[in-house]
Amino acid sequence: SLVFARLWRMASDLLTTAQAARLLDCTPQTVLNKVRRGVLHPAQKLPTSSGRFVFVRADVEALLSSGPGGAA
């Protein structure tokens, strides 16, 4: 159905911290450091005790193209 297709598309545009780290070629801790510094903004903090985040793929890709310091 169209609704399922839209939900699937939205889910495929979201990345976990580990997936964002792979895309940025860094560690998950570096991704979390970027969040703490305000360089990368999570789409959502998941309602778990671990405080995990999800990120919009386009935001992570934009960080890649931001030049030196963006992906480090």
Side-chain angles (χ1 to χ4, degrees):
S1 77
L2 183 58
V3 172
F4 180 77
R6 282 187 178 170
L7 286 173
W8 183 259
R9 169 97 170 116
M10 286 171 50
S12 67
D13 287 340
L14 295 176
L15 302 172
T16 65
T17 301
Q19 291 169 326
R22 280 194 293 275
L23 190 59
L24 293 170
D25 194 28
C26 66
T27 66
Q29 186 59 52
T30 299
V31 172
L32 297 176
N33 290 342
K34 289 178 184 304
V35 170
R36 192 172 28 259
R37 292 191 334 253
V39 175
L40 181 61
H41 303 282
Q44 186 70 44
K45 182 176 185 226
L46 299 178
T48 64
S49 60
S50 63
R52 295 178 186 214
F53 297 103
V54 290
F55 302 89
V56 175
R57 178 181 291 276
D59 292 345
V60 176
E61 290 172 346
L63 190 59
L64 269 175
S65 63
S66 68

